[in-house]
Amino acid sequence: MTRGPLGVEDAERAAAMFKALGDPVRLRLFSNIASAEGGEACVCDIQDVGVSQPTVSHHLKKLREAGLLESERRGTWVYYRVAADVLATMALLLAPGRA
Amino acid sequence: MTRGPLGVEDAERAAAMFKALGDPVRLRLFSNIASAEGGEACVCDIQDVGVSQPTVSHHLKKLREAGLLESERRGTWVYYRVAADVLATMALLLAPGRA
């Protein structure tokens, strides 16, 4: 990732990240995880977004596929955290000159 | 806008902003403007994204409607800048606990 206006390839990858956040339920799930104590949330703690559990799973999968989340199974539950450097990368994408 | 996980209404508004950035051409236009000298770009300076001028205009309109850009006509040209506080707001939305 270089500074300055976005090139074509970086833009393709980054647009997929923003597109994944372009749904209110997905954005709330992401926000819940990003603001969780310790930067990590159990899927059991973040289901309160007004949709069914399979829908939550579907949205979490989309966020993971876009490179926004990482997940890890520990015992019964899967734990999610924001992928390393994703917030800094998005800030850089939005305002290359200011980051 | 309050801290902590996103509420339903904030999420609706914010998801529209992210959705608008979920297209590679729109993201490059936004990035060009965000990284422009003085934080402002003439539409004449940001057309080099491989699409026709009417398509550029269409994308700029979508970015403006999502609340991401502000525009001002001065003489022949329209000038664009990132809407006030939009980057800080997006950072807060992404990571309420860290902003």
Side-chain angles (χ1 to χ4, degrees):
Chain A
M1 189 73 63
T2 54
R3 298 217 171 189
L6 270 180
V8 174
E9 279 179 34
D10 285 345
E12 295 278 353
R13 192 169 62 85
M17 293 168 71
F18 286 112
K19 192 173 180 181
L21 294 173
D23 173 277
V25 172
R26 274 205 292 275
L27 186 56
R28 288 180 66 207
L29 286 169
F30 183 87
S31 170
N32 284 351
I33 293 163
S35 63
E37 193 80 24
E40 181 178 82
C42 170
V43 68
C44 56
D45 289 330
I46 52 172
Q47 301 198 19
D48 186 22
V49 288
V51 296
S52 69
Q53 196 275 322
T55 304
V56 167
S57 293
H58 168 79
H59 284 312
L60 289 171
K61 183 171 176 232
K62 290 282 179 191
L63 290 167
R64 219 174 51 225
E65 286 173 352
L68 291 164
L69 295 181
E70 292 166 351
S71 65
E72 186 189 351
R73 176 175 289 279
R74 294 208 291 273
T76 310
W77 297 105
V78 179
Y79 291 78
Y80 288 87
R81 57 172 56 248
V82 175
D85 296 332
V86 82
L87 298 174
T89 301
M90 292 178 89
L92 189 65
L93 289 167
L94 288 170
R98 303 185 205 180
Chain B
M1 190 74 63
T2 53
R3 298 216 172 190
L6 269 179
V8 175
E9 280 180 33
D10 285 344
E12 294 279 352
R13 192 169 63 86
M17 294 167 71
F18 287 112
K19 193 173 179 180
L21 294 173
D23 173 277
V25 173
R26 274 205 292 274
L27 186 57
R28 288 179 67 206
L29 286 169
F30 184 87
S31 170
N32 284 352
I33 293 163
S35 61
E37 193 81 25
E40 182 179 83
C42 170
V43 69
C44 56
D45 290 330
I46 51 172
Q47 301 199 18
D48 186 22
V49 286
V51 296
S52 69
Q53 194 275 321
T55 302
V56 167
S57 293
H58 167 78
H59 283 312
L60 290 171
K61 184 170 175 236
K62 290 282 178 190
L63 289 168
R64 218 174 52 225
E65 287 174 349
L68 291 164
L69 295 181
E70 292 167 352
S71 64
E72 186 188 353
R73 178 174 288 279
R74 293 206 292 273
T76 310
W77 296 106
V78 179
Y79 291 78
Y80 288 86
R81 57 172 58 247
V82 176
D85 296 331
V86 83
L87 297 175
T89 301
M90 291 178 89
L92 190 64
L93 290 167
L94 288 171
R98 304 186 205 180

